[in-house]
């Protein structure tokens, strides 16, 4: 059990650092090209894993259409909007906005999957929104600035929630690895024509360290960390594991301080506590005595 928690914390650190590493990468690569390259390495990793585990599966036409939609919205647009947003958005604020994904997922699940939306979820959502206000507006309406980057991060959050809902539905009929493999391959194929057309001028680094960071984060963040999380989540309480995942904004905050020399403000800490508290209140499954 202790070893499982250590591995889960490792995953949270990796995912939280992705916001800062993404911020670094978009300085040297165009967002659309960066998206395409990253999806290429993710897809190659998944192909290797599927071949090694002999889990290549075919899907019917109806499910294939859903996977294509998932690949376009939940993979390509999700990844692309993330990097476009990080061009101007603060990585810590971005992490905090994305931390509210479970709340939006609950709302979408209530609408499309007829899952129950409780008063506790609504109250938790309000608390999280108050936290976002503190972080984005710095605690004052006069400081509120509409950053186009944050708007794209909201798109990332929405598409991520859609991806979770679609994956939840598809996983009832299809192996999760198959869904992940096919949707990422679709996302990569769709990204190719946009890689050289969306960004003018095109930016691509020739620095070996930048390519190492790109390939390393693609493989570790979206491949190895996900596999480790899925392998260890079965050994711990799911609700406690979900609370661990809410620590990502704090990890992003610390990595931002270390790598980007961005100071941590009191208002960010306060907003973080509100957001994480609201998400926990909305999603934690309380035990009944």
């Amino acid at each position: 059990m202790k070893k499982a928690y250590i591995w889960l914390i490792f995953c949270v650190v990796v995912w939280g650092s992705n916001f800062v590493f993404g911020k670094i990468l978009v300085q040297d690569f165009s967002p659309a090209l960066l998206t395409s390259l990253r999806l290429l390495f993710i897809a190659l990793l998944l192909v290797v894993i599927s071949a090694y585990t002999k889990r290549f599966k075919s899907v019917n036409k109806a499910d294939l259409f859903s996977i294509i939609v998932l690949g376009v919205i939940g993979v390509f647009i999700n990844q692309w909007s993330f990097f476009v947003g990080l061009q101007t958005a603060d990585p810590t604020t971005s992490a905090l906005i994305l931390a509210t994904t479970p709340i939006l997922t609950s709302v979408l699940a209530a609408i499309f999957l007829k899952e129950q939306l409780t008063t506790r979820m609504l109250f938790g959502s309000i608390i999280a929104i108050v936290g976002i206000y503190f972080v984005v507006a710095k605690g004052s309406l006069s400081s509120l600035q509409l950053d186009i980057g944050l708007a794209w991060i909201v798109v990332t959050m929405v598409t991520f929630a859609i991806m979770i809902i679609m994956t939840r539905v598809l996983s009832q009929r299809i192996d999760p690895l198959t869904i992940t493999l096919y949707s990422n391959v679709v996302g990569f194929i769709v990204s190719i024509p946009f890689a050289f057309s969306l960004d003018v001028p095109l930016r691509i680094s020739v620095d070996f360290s930048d390519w190492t960071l790109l390939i390393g984060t693609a493989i570790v963040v979206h491949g190895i960390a996900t596999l480790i999380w899925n392998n260890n989540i079965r050994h711990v309480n799911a609700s406690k594991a979900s609370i661990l995942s809410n620590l990502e904004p704090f990890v992003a905050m610390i990595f931002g301080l270390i790598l980007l020399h961005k100071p941590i403000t009191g208002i960010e800490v306060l907003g973080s506590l509100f957001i994480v508290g609201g998400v926990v209140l909305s999603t934690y499954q309380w035990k009944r005595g």
Side-chain angles (χ1 to χ4, degrees):
M1 182 73 73
K2 184 178 180 181
K3 185 178 179 181
Y5 274 113
I6 291 173
W7 279 118
L8 292 178
I9 292 172
F10 165 78
C11 294
V12 171
V13 171
V14 168
W15 290 333
S17 66
N18 188 46
F19 292 90
V20 175
F21 290 136
K23 183 75 172 180
I24 294 172
L25 285 169
V26 292
Q27 308 304 316
D28 299 299
F29 293 90
S30 301
L33 179 61
L34 179 57
T35 300
S36 188
L37 290 171
R38 206 168 192 189
L39 288 176
L40 169 62
F41 294 113
I42 294 171
L44 288 174
L45 175 67
L46 292 170
V47 167
V48 171
I49 293 172
S50 298
Y52 179 76
T53 57
K54 298 180 180 179
R55 289 168 64 181
F56 277 111
K57 302 287 180 63
S58 60
V59 296
N60 59 49
K61 290 183 179 180
D63 288 335
L64 182 60
F65 175 77
S66 297
I67 288 177
I68 290 173
V69 174
L70 176 61
V72 174
I73 297 175
V75 176
F76 169 61
I77 296 178
N78 175 265
Q79 290 275 324
W80 174 67
S81 60
F82 176 72
F83 289 121
V84 172
L86 283 179
Q87 287 187 114
T88 57
D90 173 69
T92 300
T93 306
S94 301
L96 288 167
I97 290 175
L98 284 177
T100 62
T101 300
I103 294 176
L104 179 60
T105 303
S106 298
V107 174
L108 293 178
I111 296 172
F112 296 104
L113 304 182
K114 308 303 179 184
E115 295 184 5
Q116 185 179 9
L117 191 63
T118 65
T119 303
R120 179 166 55 82
M121 288 180 182
L122 180 61
F123 186 57
S125 301
I126 294 173
I127 293 175
I129 290 171
V130 171
I132 291 176
Y133 161 76
F134 276 119
V135 174
V136 176
K138 311 300 180 186
S140 172
L141 281 175
S142 60
S143 301
L144 183 61
Q145 294 181 345
L146 295 179
D147 185 343
I148 188 64
L150 289 181
W152 282 114
I153 294 299
V154 171
V155 172
T156 304
M157 186 261 289
V158 173
T159 54
F160 188 31
I162 292 172
M163 179 180 68
I164 292 172
I165 294 295
M166 293 189 68
T167 303
R168 186 184 300 177
V169 173
L170 286 168
S171 62
Q172 296 174 2
R173 305 186 297 273
I174 308 172
D175 177 62
L177 179 58
T178 301
I179 298 171
T180 307
L181 170 61
Y182 286 7
S183 60
N184 274 274
V185 169
V186 169
F188 167 64
I189 293 172
V190 171
S191 73
I192 294 174
F194 294 102
F196 302 95
S197 60
L198 281 177
D199 304 311
V200 179
L202 187 70
R203 286 181 288 109
I204 180 169
S205 176
V206 294
D207 193 307
F208 177 76
S209 62
D210 292 332
W211 281 90
T212 301
L213 182 61
L214 190 160
I215 298 172
T217 53
I219 292 175
V220 175
V221 173
H222 296 283
I224 296 174
T226 301
L227 290 174
I228 291 175
W229 180 274
N230 292 340
N231 187 55
N232 286 276
I233 194 76
R234 57 186 173 176
H235 300 303
V236 303
N237 181 283
S239 297
K240 291 181 180 178
S242 66
I243 291 177
L244 282 178
S245 68
N246 290 322
L247 296 176
E248 286 181 39
F250 295 99
V251 174
M253 211 177 283
I254 294 170
F255 270 81
L257 174 65
I258 297 172
L259 298 178
L260 302 179
H261 308 292
K262 179 187 175 297
I264 300 174
T265 65
I267 203 70
E268 284 181 333
V269 175
L270 179 62
S272 300
L273 293 174
F274 268 89
I275 292 172
V276 173
V279 172
V280 171
L281 179 62
S282 297
T283 59
Y284 188 81
Q285 300 300 312
W286 304 96
K287 290 184 178 180
R288 296 181 180 179

